Amino acid sequence: MSTPPPVFRIGHALDVHAFSPEMDGTKKLMVACLEWPGETPLVGHSDGDVAAHAICDALLGAAGLGDMGTVFGTDRPEWSGASGEAFLREVMRMLEVAKWRVGNIHVQVIGNRPRMKARLPEAEERLSALVDAPVSVSATTTDGLGFTGRGEGLAAQATALIVRAD
């Protein structure tokens, strides 16, 4: 007798990107699928959206579908410069094919800037619309400790609950 598949699964992920050493005006800071005008962009193969990337990794991990590096890695030139939104849309397509849907997600952005408090509701609304489920967003600093505390970059961690769609 085989064990039935689980009705829900949980994934957790961390994403980290450094701030670009220069602002040339061609790249914008994107966090939680929102543009942050006047802020230094993040370095990455894509837009560097740490919140979106952590969410994608948590969802992929929960579903057993790999991770950002294997699905969207630097060996995949078609994803070069891609937006966090594009990654989320593709992960949602993959979940649908695998017969999973999102229950809920929490993502926390870690860094000194941008100052996110005033835009947290906007970030939650944007991300919730993209994954068709509730997303809570929080932000914190590390009280000056580590690379985020020194203002060298941003990190984000996400936890996602997925449920069987059948």
Side-chain angles (χ1 to χ4, degrees), residues 48-139:
D49 186 334
V50 292
H53 296 183
I55 290 170
C56 287
D57 250 346
L59 291 169
L60 290 166
L65 297 173
D67 58 36
M68 288 287 289
T70 57
V71 176
F72 305 109
T74 56
D75 62 332
R76 305 273 314 269
E78 68 271 27
W79 292 103
S80 178
S83 67
E85 178 178 341
F87 289 134
L88 281 168
R89 289 186 188 284
E90 177 61 11
V91 168
M92 293 306 296
R93 185 199 65 74
M94 293 170 69
L95 286 177
E96 183 178 359
V97 169
K99 300 200 181 326
W100 291 103
R101 65 180 173 79
V102 177
N104 73 299
I105 297 168
H106 173 70
V107 62
Q108 182 175 58
V109 178
I110 306 160
N112 297 334
R113 64 185 216 282
R115 303 302 286 176
M116 294 187 65
K117 184 177 180 180
R119 294 187 73 190
L120 290 176
E122 182 183 2
E124 290 177 343
E125 183 178 323
R126 179 77 180 120
L127 293 168
S128 295
L130 287 168
V131 301
D132 195 28
V135 178
S136 61
V137 181
S138 64

Side-chain angles (χ1 to χ4, degrees), residues 18-49:
F19 285 116
S20 176
E22 72 270 342
M23 286 183 62
D24 65 5
T26 61
K27 196 170 179 186
K28 310 273 189 242
L29 177 64
M30 298 297 293
V31 178
C33 294
L34 300 177
E35 184 179 328
W36 297 83
E39 292 284 351
T40 305
L42 294 165
V43 176
H45 177 62
S46 64
D47 67 357
D49 186 334

